[in-house]
């Protein structure tokens, strides 16, 4: 059974860089879009960006060039970096497996990232 | 960008009742719509994909319908574990998710 396990720092100061990693266990990267999604407390879901096994990535323009998603296929992992964080970046961050059909069939458990001085 | 709206924002029902949730797209998305369930403190779980296909291990009481711009998620008879928030989602970047409908116990 394929599982996603994610980790990373949960408390950051303004202007620091958020860094999270998601590992894929029990399966390969295959023909999926490995995606980061976030959810501010009490709010809805926002796609941050995605990457495929070839390293081709796409990012939400609303994040204005602060995002980098990378992949390490040798470790079956993909990572998120979000620079210059502010309080508005406080959210639960999820990694997810996106299918060609456009939906997300597998999710990590989520990491609460709080940005506070 | 395609925008999804969901109604109602909150649905107050009793166990055993039928729940009907609506999702509307600002332009046609054919049948490319998914539904998710999210419980407090948990990640969303895929329920329905391509508007009407149940995901793996999803009970038959969940069904989806619609195409174009209007979609419906129906829970035929609410179980206690079904009280949660439900999101619809379309594949176009980057406004993918609707704002959600909370199904609460009446």
């Amino acid at each position: 059974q394929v599982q996603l396990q994610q980790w990373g720092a949960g408390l950051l100061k303004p202007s620091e860089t958020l860094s999270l990693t998601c590992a894929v266990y029990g399966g390969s990267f295959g023909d999926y879009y490995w995606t980061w999604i976030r959810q501010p407390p009490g709010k809805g879901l926002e796609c941050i960006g995605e990457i495929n096994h070839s390293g081709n990535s796409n990012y939400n323009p609303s994040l204005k060039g602060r995002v980098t998603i990378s992949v390490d296929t040798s470790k079956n992992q993909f990572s998120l970096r979000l620079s210059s964080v502010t309080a508005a970046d406080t959210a639960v961050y999820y990694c997810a497996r996106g299918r060609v059909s456009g939906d997300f069939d597998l999710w990590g458990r989520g990491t609460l990232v709080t940005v506070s001085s | 960008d395609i925008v999804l709206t969901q109604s109602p924002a909150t649905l107050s029902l009793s166990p055993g009742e039928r729940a009907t949730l609506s999702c509307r797209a600002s332009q046609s998305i054919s049948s490319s719509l998914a539904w998710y369930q999210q419980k407090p403190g948990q990640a969303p779980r895929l329920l329905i994909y391509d508007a009407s296909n149940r995901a793996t291990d999803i009970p038959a009481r969940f069904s989806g319908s619609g195409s174009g711009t209007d979609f419906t998620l129906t829970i035929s008879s609410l179980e206690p574990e079904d009280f949660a928030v439900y999101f619809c989602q379309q594949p176009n970047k980057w406004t993918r998710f609707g704002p959600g409908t909370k199904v609460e116990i009446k």
Side-chain angles (χ1 to χ4, degrees), chain A residues 31-87:
Chain A
D31 224 2
Y32 298 102
Y33 297 91
W34 301 96
T35 305
W36 289 96
I37 296 166
R38 70 180 181 179
Q39 185 174 35
K43 296 188 179 179
L45 297 155
E46 178 186 37
C47 286
I48 299 168
E50 63 188 17
I51 194 166
N52 66 9
H53 67 283
S54 300
N56 298 313
S57 57
N58 293 290
Y59 305 128
N60 190 327
S62 71
L63 292 164
K64 297 179 183 177
R66 297 192 292 130
V67 182
T68 303
I69 297 176
S70 58
V71 65
D72 185 339
T73 53
S74 68
K75 295 182 179 179
N76 266 18
Q77 295 176 0
F78 62 107
S79 298
L80 167 71
R81 288 175 62 84
L82 179 66
S83 63
S84 305
V85 297
T86 69

Side-chain angles (χ1 to χ4, degrees), chain A residues 39 45 94 107, chain B residues 36-39 42-46 87:
Chain A
Q39 185 174 35
L45 297 155
Y94 296 101
W107 295 66
Chain B
Y36 300 82
Q37 177 194 66
Q38 187 178 33
K39 297 179 182 179
Q42 296 185 16
R45 176 175 70 146
L46 178 65
F87 295 98

Side-chain angles (χ1 to χ4, degrees), chain B residues 40-54:
Chain B
Q42 296 185 16
R45 176 175 70 146
L46 178 65
L47 298 175
I48 301 288
Y49 66 95
D50 288 343
S52 61
N53 296 297
R54 272 190 303 276

Side-chain angles (χ1 to χ4, degrees), chain B residues 4 6 13-14 17-18 20 28 34 41-42 44 51 55 60 76 87-88 95 102:
Chain B
L4 297 177
Q6 292 186 243
L13 295 168
S14 301
E17 289 192 294
R18 182 184 188 91
T20 303
S28 177
Q42 296 185 16
S76 59
F87 295 98
C88 58
T95 55
K102 181 180 182 180

Side-chain angles (χ1 to χ4, degrees), chain A residues 50 100-103, chain B residues 29 32-34 89-94 96:
Chain A
E50 63 188 17
V100 173
S101 50
D103 52 72
Chain B
I29 54 173
S32 299
L33 190 92
Q89 177 247 330
Q90 53 87 14
N92 291 282
K93 307 172 175 60
W94 289 94
R96 294 187 181 184

Side-chain angles (χ1 to χ4, degrees), chain B residues 40-105:
Chain B
Q42 296 185 16
R45 176 175 70 146
L46 178 65
L47 298 175
I48 301 288
Y49 66 95
D50 288 343
S52 61
N53 296 297
R54 272 190 303 276
T56 304
D57 294 330
I58 300 303
R61 63 181 181 273
F62 292 93
S63 63
S65 63
S67 66
T69 60
D70 291 303
F71 300 86
T72 301
L73 173 70
T74 301
I75 311 171
S76 59
S77 178
L78 282 164
E79 296 288 338
E81 62 267 27
D82 298 337
F83 292 91
V85 178
Y86 293 82
F87 295 98
C88 58
Q89 177 247 330
Q90 53 87 14
N92 291 282
K93 307 172 175 60
W94 289 94
T95 55
R96 294 187 181 184
F97 291 92
T101 290
K102 181 180 182 180
V103 179
E104 65 176 23
I105 299 176

